[in-house]
């Protein structure tokens, strides 16, 4: 046949046409219900990546679809040793796949091995049934424009499939290898398609060339511009939730994450830098050295440059090395010099040219060295893995043995947190009885006597996931070195804005919910999270049994309430908001309560009741039907303190000048969290946009000097004066500070006066050691620390909150209080620090400081948010603030 003849000729000559034949014969991964991508037997021989693709690895960047076709090709040729599974899809509907690789004997009993591995962790009942090979999970290309790793993985897969490679085949006798060839397909294709479009026929290695200048927003992030490597602990993104659901079914002993850094760097591998989190075991620290030694040997043999014990620490739980470590694995990061700027070839600052082929060789080498180390020490790995979980269940770490979430806190947030615990396989229960205990109170930051109520959620440290529990709940993480890579505070009670306590003793529980692979949370326990917190409550099932109630009332407490409002507005339902507290029919309602009255919604008729019930159920909100507009105390439902809400037309700015992740957080909030339409406006044409078409304009964090020139800023202010609503976050507020007509002003740095006085007193103050420069500079940092913001909750921007809000500050909000004409809704006063690292000089500056508030300008309003309440989508306690800024003001 013609195709067969062409394939034979090509193999004899250039090997080119065999690539096209293989592509035609290899099935594309299916998209429905995630079936196995392989649908038939393999044809022809096992091809190398170069034979299959038609070019040598390193000659260009391979699109994600081509990568998956090669993965399917290799798996099809190794049915006895490889199994391909589609585990999910991205926001842009690209497939997410895993390859399971083992000896023929072990692949035949793969699910038994998986269950035995969970038995080692105490997360599956029964005895271990057979030999337990170590499980190694390799993750490639979590940052899309760090694209070398998904090129390297093709060679890794070929080596593991090649029967002539006896060394690699030997590894499989003692291992189950799980490979994720591309964690972030959307970001990878964004980068690869751009680069392949602009690259010269012959790659231009000059850093000045267009192919080394990746445009905004870059390929690093996923569809919503989230950094998936910061999402391991929080799982806010679709890709993370799907991946970690599978990860928790396995709990590997080793997890390796492959990255790139700046092109002028050599290669990084473990051991990691300090700080190590205090809860990493001695064995986990030791294996950092062991696996590093295996990598060192191959790099020394090839005379490749590398470094260890610098920059990349093991502290915060967000990453692909730390989160697996707190789940019993040896978590390692590999960093190759290169990244999106490097392209195919790049002239480094030392004059040498870095090529994609070199970068591939390095990641290929560390992949195999990781497998070699794990295979050689597989018995040690499984033994220490079992010990990790045995110790977790019987002698958990830390001074606190129980964590309690007050059931009197916001029930929606409590329920959101327990759902989060379910995803993490963390067990919890409910306090068996009322008691008074000595415990750390997150709200006050003090150890004191606290009241435990029967509906309070209790998380015991005596469980398999206790190390993860400690890391996520401990009030103050133990930081052995102040120089760290990321945030230093993240405790869940702060993040979810809940009242909570840490107790040194065990607390008896009732109705325990065993979170894990085989457990199901009972609906009775679910109901305790709501019905015990809003006494008396009305089940939404009963809403339509009342004969045309006068109105429906919904309290305003959390993100679910914002989602409920969003959906009703889009259904054309007219709503009002209470600006003052009131009481009616025996229940108290606070500021921000939503009122859905029959008056104004007459055109909906009986459909109003159906809409309210359906949207309340969908959003997870409880509503109360009332039969009268009369209030016992406070304003009646027709009072002047109850004002109508309109459906705002919202726009958000994106493009060069705007921080991509900050824009992504806003975009994700509207599309994925509250389901509300938002118009994205590009910075390149923003000056010509008719702003009168919008009610709300959001400026995410960024640098606005070029975006809002004098003329454009004047147009924005004119729009605000006409009734527009401007929301400025972080860098946008910083840009607006000091502008004409605007009230926000910066204040002098906190220690400028003190420093000047000290220098007058001691003339040698200015003499500093160069080596100490970085460490001294931390005195001016606030490294993702938690501070207690004092709120004026009578202002609509703070509706639904108490007197304080725990903010995760990453920069010093160095602003004066707003003068008359503005409202200081959230400020930092004395002793506002709660958790995390903040330099001494920084703490001085974080006193009497504006954090969030509003300014009236004409008929419109400017909202200044010096802190970002949507940061990485995991700081749940701040999302209602943003909802207030958009919908309630």
């Amino acid at each position: 046949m013609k195709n067969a003849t062409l394939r034979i000729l090509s193999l004899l000559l250039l090997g080119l046409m065999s690539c096209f034949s293989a592509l035609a014969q290899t099935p594309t991964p299916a998209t429905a219900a995630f079936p196995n991508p392989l649908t038939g037997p393999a044809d022809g021989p096992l091809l190398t990546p170069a034979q299959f693709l038609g070019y040598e690895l390193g000659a260009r960047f391979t699109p994600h679809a081509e990568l998956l076709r090669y993965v399917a090709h290799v798996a099809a040729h190794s049915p006895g040793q490889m199994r391909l599974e589609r585990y999910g899809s991205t926001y842009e509907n690209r497939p997410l796949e895993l390859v399971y690789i083992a000896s023929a004997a072990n692949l035949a009993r793969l699910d038994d091995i998986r269950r035995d591995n969970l038995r080692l962790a105490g997360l599956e009942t029964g005895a271990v049934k057979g030999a337990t090979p170590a499980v190694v999970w390799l993750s490639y290309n979590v940052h899309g424009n760090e694209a070398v790793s998904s090129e390297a993985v093709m060679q890794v897969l070929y080596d593991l499939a090649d029967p002539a490679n006896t060394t690699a085949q030997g590894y499989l006798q003692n291992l189950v290898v799980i490979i994720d060839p591309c964690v972030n397909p959307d970001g990878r294709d964004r980068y690869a398609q751009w680069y392949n479009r602009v690259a010269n026929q012959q790659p231009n290695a000059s850093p000045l060339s267009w192919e080394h200048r990746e445009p905004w927003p870059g390929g690093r992030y996923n569809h919503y511009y989230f950094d998936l490597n910061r999402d391991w602990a929080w799982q806010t993104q679709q890709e993370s939730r799907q991946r970690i659901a599978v990860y928790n079914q396995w709990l590997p002993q080793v997890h390796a994450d492959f990255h790139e850094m700046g092109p002028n760097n050599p290669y990084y591998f473990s051991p990691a830098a300090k700080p190590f989190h205090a809860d990493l075991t001695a064995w986990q620290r030791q294996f950092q050295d062991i696996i590093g030694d295996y990598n060192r040997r191959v790099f020394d043999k090839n005379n490749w440059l590398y470094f260890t014990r610098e920059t990349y620490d093991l502290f915060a739980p967000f990453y692909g090395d730390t989160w697996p470590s707190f789940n019993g694995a040896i978590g390692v990061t590999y960093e190759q010099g290169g990244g999106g700027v490097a392209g195919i070839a790049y002239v480094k600052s030392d004059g040498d040219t870095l090529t994609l082929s070199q970068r591939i060789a390095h990641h290929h080498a560390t992949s195999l060295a990781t497998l070699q180390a794990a295979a050689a020490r597989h018995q040690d790995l499984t033994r220490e893995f079992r010990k990790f979980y045995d110790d977790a269940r019987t002698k958990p770490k830390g001074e606190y043995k129980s964590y309690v979430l007050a059931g009197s806190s916001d029930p929606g947030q409590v329920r959101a947190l327990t759902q989060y615990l379910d995803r993490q396989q963390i067990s919890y229960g409910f306090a068996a009885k009322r008691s008074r205990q000595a415990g750390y109170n997150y709200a006050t930051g003090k150890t004191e006597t606290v009241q435990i109520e029967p509906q309070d959620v209790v998380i015991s440290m005596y469980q398999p996931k206790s190390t993860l529990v400690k890391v996520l709940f401990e009030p103050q993480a133990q930081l052995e070195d102040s120089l760290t890579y990321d945030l230093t505070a993240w405790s869940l009670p702060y993040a979810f804005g809940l009242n909570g306590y840490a107790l040194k003793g065990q607390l008896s529980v009732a109705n325990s919910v065993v979170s894990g692979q085989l457990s199901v949370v009972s609906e009775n326990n679910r109901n305790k999270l709501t019905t015990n917190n809003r006494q008396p409550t009305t089940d939404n099932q009963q809403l339509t049994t009342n004969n045309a109630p006068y109105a429906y009332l919904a309290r305003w407490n959390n993100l679910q309430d914002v989602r409920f409002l969003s959906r009703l507005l889009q259904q054309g339902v007219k709503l009002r908001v209470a600006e003052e507290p009131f009481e009616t029919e025996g229940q108290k309602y606070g500021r921000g309560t939503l009122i859905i009255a029959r008056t104004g919604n007459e055109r909906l008729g009986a459909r109003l009741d159906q809409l309210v019930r359906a949207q309340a159920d969908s959003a997870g909100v409880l509503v109360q039907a009332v039969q009268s507009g009369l209030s016992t105390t406070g304003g009646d439902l027709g009072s002047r303190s109850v004002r109508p809400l309109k459906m705002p037309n919202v726009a958000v700015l994106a493009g060069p000048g705007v921080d991509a992740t900050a824009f992504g957080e806003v975009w994700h909030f509207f599309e994925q969290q509250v389901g509300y339409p938002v118009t994205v406006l590009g910075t390149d044409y923003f000056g010509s946009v008719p702003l009168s078409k919008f009610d709300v304009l959001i400026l995410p964090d960024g640098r606005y000097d070029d975006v809002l020139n004098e003329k454009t800023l004047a147009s924005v202010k004119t729009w605000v004066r006409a009734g527009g609503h401007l929301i400025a976050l972080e860098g946008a507020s910083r840009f607006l500070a000091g502008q004409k007509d605007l009230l926000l002003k910066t204040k002098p740095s906190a220690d400028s006066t003190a420093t000047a006085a000290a220098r007058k007193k001691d003339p040698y103050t200015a003499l500093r050691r160069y080596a100490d420069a970085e460490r001294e500079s931390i005195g001016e940092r606030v490294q993702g620390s938690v501070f207690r913001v004092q709120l004026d909750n009578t202002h609509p921007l703070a509706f639904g909150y108490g007197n304080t809000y725990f903010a995760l500050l990453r920069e010093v909000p160095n602003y004066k209080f707003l003068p008359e004409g503005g409202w200081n809704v959230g400020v930092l006063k004395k002793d506002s620090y709660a958790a995390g690292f903040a330099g001494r000089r920084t703490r001085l500056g974080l006193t009497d400081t504006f954090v969030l508030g509003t300014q009236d300008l004409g008929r419109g309003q400017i909202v200044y948010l010096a802190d970002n309440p949507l940061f990485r989508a995991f700081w749940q306690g701040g999302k209602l603030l943003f909802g207030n800024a958009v919908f309630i003001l």
Side-chain angles (χ1 to χ4, degrees):
M1 293 177 63
K2 182 177 180 181
N3 286 346
T5 302
L6 287 174
R7 188 169 68 235
I8 293 170
L9 289 173
S10 64
L11 286 171
L12 291 173
L13 298 173
L14 300 175
L16 179 61
M17 292 305 296
S18 64
C19 163
F20 300 131
S21 177
L23 290 178
Q25 295 163 4
T26 304
T28 301
T31 57
F34 308 152
N36 190 317
L38 298 179
T39 58
D43 294 332
L46 171 66
L47 303 178
T48 67
Q51 290 170 334
F52 185 91
L53 298 170
Y55 53 85
E56 294 291 335
L57 287 179
R60 60 171 297 167
F61 287 105
T62 306
H64 181 252
E66 299 293 297
L67 165 67
L68 291 192
R69 278 199 278 268
Y70 183 70
V71 171
H73 167 79
V74 176
H77 283 79
S78 306
Q81 289 185 281
M82 291 189 180
R83 184 177 300 172
L84 185 57
E85 173 187 89
R86 179 172 177 182
Y87 69 87
S89 62
T90 70
Y91 285 112
E92 296 176 15
N93 205 33
R94 291 182 175 87
L96 294 167
E97 295 185 358
L98 293 173
V99 187
Y100 299 92
I101 311 165
S103 67
N106 283 337
L107 194 72
R109 63 183 193 97
L110 192 63
D111 196 58
D112 287 339
I113 292 173
R114 180 187 67 80
R115 294 170 74 96
D116 277 347
N117 203 53
L118 293 179
R119 290 183 179 106
L120 293 178
L123 288 165
E124 174 93 14
T125 58
V128 175
K129 296 180 179 179
T132 53
V135 180
V136 179
W137 186 304
L138 307 180
S139 293
Y140 297 87
N141 218 162
V142 67
H143 292 145
N145 62 358
E146 297 175 8
V148 62
S149 64
S150 282
E151 304 294 332
V153 76
M154 290 187 275
Q155 188 63 51
V156 173
L157 285 169
Y158 177 81
D159 289 347
L160 293 174
D162 182 7
N165 191 329
T166 56
T167 300
Q169 294 301 308
Y171 302 155
L172 300 181
Q173 301 308 307
N174 299 318
L175 300 177
V176 169
V177 181
I178 304 173
I179 287 180
D180 190 330
C182 187
V183 175
N184 181 8
D186 292 350
R188 176 183 175 81
D189 265 3
R190 190 183 312 128
Y191 174 76
Q193 290 172 7
W194 165 78
Y195 186 87
N196 290 337
R197 186 174 69 249
V198 303
N200 291 341
Q201 187 74 25
Q202 293 296 321
N204 190 328
S206 168
L208 300 177
S209 176
W210 189 18
E211 62 195 82
H212 302 295
R213 301 300 176 99
E214 191 180 1
W216 192 95
R220 178 181 178 89
Y221 312 113
N222 77 337
H223 171 77
Y224 283 107
Y225 306 159
F226 274 68
D227 187 329
L228 294 179
N229 193 43
R230 271 77 173 167
D231 197 42
W232 278 82
W234 313 123
Q235 300 151 38
T236 68
Q237 299 302 289
Q238 177 172 302
E239 296 90 342
S240 301
R241 289 193 298 272
Q242 294 170 135
R243 180 179 71 256
I244 291 174
V246 181
Y247 187 101
N248 273 329
Q249 294 174 10
W250 278 95
L251 293 179
Q253 280 78 44
V254 177
H255 180 264
D257 208 13
F258 293 84
H259 292 263
E260 292 185 77
M261 52 187 161
N264 290 305
N265 294 291
Y267 197 96
Y268 163 82
F269 51 75
S270 61
K274 290 184 177 182
F276 283 64
H277 196 282
D279 293 321
L280 293 176
T281 67
W283 165 249
Q284 288 174 315
R285 295 177 185 233
Q286 180 184 347
F287 205 85
Q288 287 274 321
D289 294 322
I290 292 171
I291 205 167
D293 195 50
Y294 277 83
N295 286 303
R296 177 190 59 77
R297 293 173 197 170
V298 68
F299 272 65
D300 285 348
K301 180 180 178 180
N302 288 283
N303 298 313
W304 294 337
L305 291 175
Y306 59 91
F307 69 95
T308 64
R309 297 164 297 187
E310 297 178 39
T311 307
Y312 302 103
D313 60 55
L314 287 172
F315 182 67
F318 325 130
Y319 297 99
D321 52 9
T322 51
W323 187 86
S325 295
F326 300 134
N327 282 274
I330 308 299
V332 292
T333 289
Y334 293 117
E335 292 274 357
Q336 164 64 49
V341 70
I344 303 296
Y346 184 88
V347 176
K348 301 188 297 180
S349 58
D350 62 7
D352 284 345
T353 298
L354 175 68
T355 68
L356 180 58
S357 298
Q358 292 169 336
R359 293 151 59 196
I360 291 171
H362 298 163
H363 267 339
H364 172 249
T366 52
S367 297
L368 296 182
T370 301
L371 299 181
Q372 182 184 10
R377 303 294 294 269
H378 72 282
Q379 292 178 328
D380 295 335
L381 284 167
T382 54
R383 182 188 66 248
E384 293 292 334
F385 178 80
R386 182 171 214 158
K387 183 178 184 298
F388 177 94
Y389 279 99
D390 285 345
D391 289 347
R393 291 192 304 273
T394 60
K395 43 184 179 182
K397 300 175 181 178
E399 63 176 318
Y400 300 116
K401 303 308 177 189
S402 301
Y403 295 95
V404 181
L405 300 172
S408 57
S409 297
D410 174 6
Q413 289 291 73
V414 173
R415 182 164 183 170
L417 180 52
T418 56
Q419 291 170 342
Y420 171 81
L421 298 178
D422 293 336
R423 292 197 300 272
Q424 299 280 7
Q425 293 183 324
I426 292 173
S427 300
Y428 55 92
F430 299 87
K433 61 182 180 180
R434 176 175 296 171
S435 64
R436 292 177 66 80
Q437 305 278 341
Y440 179 87
N441 188 333
Y442 288 89
T444 63
K446 298 176 181 179
T447 298
E448 56 194 32
T449 300
V450 298
Q451 181 75 38
I452 308 297
E453 299 290 345
Q455 71 266 33
D456 292 349
V457 179
V458 179
I459 302 97
S460 171
M461 283 289 287
Y462 291 88
Q463 63 169 299
K465 290 294 190 86
S466 71
T467 299
L468 185 61
V469 171
K470 179 179 181 296
V471 170
L472 294 176
F473 277 89
E474 60 187 341
Q476 188 73 265
Q478 298 178 39
L479 186 62
E480 66 177 347
D481 191 300
S482 52
L483 290 175
T484 185
Y485 195 62
D486 203 336
L487 309 180
T488 58
W490 50 79
S491 186
L492 292 180
Y494 295 132
F496 279 79
L498 294 170
N499 294 330
Y501 320 114
L503 310 181
K504 293 185 178 181
Q506 285 185 265
L507 194 65
S508 59
V509 299
N511 302 312
S512 181
V513 178
V514 181
S515 297
Q517 179 197 347
L518 299 180
S519 67
V520 178
V521 179
S522 74
E523 195 57 35
N524 287 337
N525 287 329
R526 289 285 190 217
N527 290 340
K528 289 176 74 71
L529 300 177
T530 53
T531 58
N532 284 347
N533 288 298
R534 287 185 175 178
Q535 299 285 2
T537 60
T538 297
D539 189 326
N540 293 333
Q541 296 287 337
Q542 300 174 358
L543 289 180
T544 56
T545 62
N546 293 314
N547 184 23
Y550 182 89
Y552 297 103
L553 307 181
R555 292 176 173 84
W556 186 252
N557 291 311
N558 52 51
L559 180 66
Q560 293 94 315
D561 301 320
V562 181
R563 188 181 303 126
F564 177 58
L565 170 61
S566 162
R567 291 172 177 175
L568 288 182
L569 287 174
Q570 292 175 76
Q571 293 286 339
V573 176
K574 303 296 184 182
L575 299 97
R576 297 169 181 255
V577 62
E579 294 191 314
E580 296 294 337
F582 64 96
E583 181 176 351
T584 185
E585 298 187 2
Q587 292 197 52
K588 294 181 179 180
Y589 296 87
R591 295 181 177 90
T593 296
L594 299 178
I595 300 168
I596 307 108
R598 200 159 295 279
T599 299
N601 288 300
E602 294 89 349
R603 61 186 178 80
L604 295 173
R607 185 166 170 262
L608 174 68
D609 307 281
Q610 299 168 357
L611 281 174
V612 171
R613 173 182 168 181
Q615 297 307 328
D617 287 344
S618 177
V621 170
L622 289 174
V623 296
Q624 179 72 47
V626 295
Q627 302 302 317
S628 172
L630 181 68
S631 296
T632 311
T633 61
D636 299 326
L637 300 192
S639 165
R640 287 181 298 176
S641 64
V642 177
R643 61 177 172 83
L645 293 175
K646 63 177 292 187
M647 182 177 176
N649 196 349
V650 181
V652 58
L653 206 55
V658 176
D659 182 275
T661 60
F663 160 70
E665 288 156 2
V666 174
W667 191 20
H668 186 267
F669 174 83
F670 282 104
E671 290 211 333
Q672 295 295 322
Q673 298 176 49
V674 299
Y676 192 83
V678 61
T679 300
V680 179
L681 303 176
T683 56
D684 55 337
Y685 64 86
F686 178 67
S688 61
V689 170
L691 291 178
S692 59
K693 294 184 178 293
F694 301 99
D695 304 299
V696 177
L697 172 64
I698 301 167
L699 305 181
D701 186 26
R703 298 179 177 275
Y704 282 86
D705 299 74
D706 295 330
V707 177
L708 298 180
N709 57 35
E710 184 176 351
K711 179 181 178 181
T712 306
L713 180 58
S715 297
V716 170
K717 288 191 287 186
T718 298
W719 167 77
V720 173
R721 288 189 176 96
H725 194 76
L726 181 67
I727 302 174
L729 291 94
E730 295 187 291
S733 289
R734 196 159 49 245
F735 169 79
L736 295 178
Q739 298 282 357
K740 182 182 177 182
D741 302 324
L742 305 187
L743 299 180
L744 188 64
K745 311 291 181 185
T746 57
K747 62 180 183 178
S749 60
D751 65 335
S752 58
T753 304
T755 301
R759 287 178 177 171
K760 286 182 180 179
K761 184 176 181 180
D762 182 359
Y764 302 115
T765 299
L767 302 181
R768 300 183 299 141
R769 290 179 70 243
Y770 178 79
D772 296 334
E774 184 177 12
R775 192 161 302 282
E776 289 183 3
S777 70
I778 66 174
E780 300 172 0
R781 294 185 193 173
V782 51
Q783 293 182 248
S785 302
V786 179
F787 283 79
R788 188 179 292 102
V789 177
Q790 302 295 318
L791 291 178
D792 173 8
N793 60 13
T794 68
H795 191 284
L797 185 57
F799 279 1
Y801 288 87
N803 295 323
T804 58
Y805 155 64
F806 286 102
L808 181 67
L809 298 183
R810 295 164 296 117
E811 296 181 355
V812 178
N814 193 35
Y815 299 109
K816 298 178 182 179
F817 294 149
L818 297 182
E820 186 175 351
W823 296 102
N824 297 286
V825 181
V827 300
L828 294 178
K829 297 182 180 178
K830 185 179 180 181
D831 298 328
S832 59
Y833 166 81
F837 177 82
R840 179 185 57 83
R841 294 192 297 275
T842 292
R843 290 203 202 184
L844 292 174
L846 290 172
T847 300
D848 297 336
T849 296
F850 170 92
V851 178
L852 55 101
T854 66
Q855 171 190 347
D856 295 329
L857 186 63
R859 292 189 291 111
Q861 200 169 46
I862 300 174
V863 181
Y864 301 108
L865 298 176
D867 166 58
N868 178 8
L870 303 181
F871 180 65
R872 294 183 187 169
F874 86 93
W875 202 255
Q876 300 291 332
K879 293 177 180 178
L880 186 66
L881 273 175
F882 193 76
N884 286 335
V886 174
F887 296 106
I888 301 298
L889 286 179

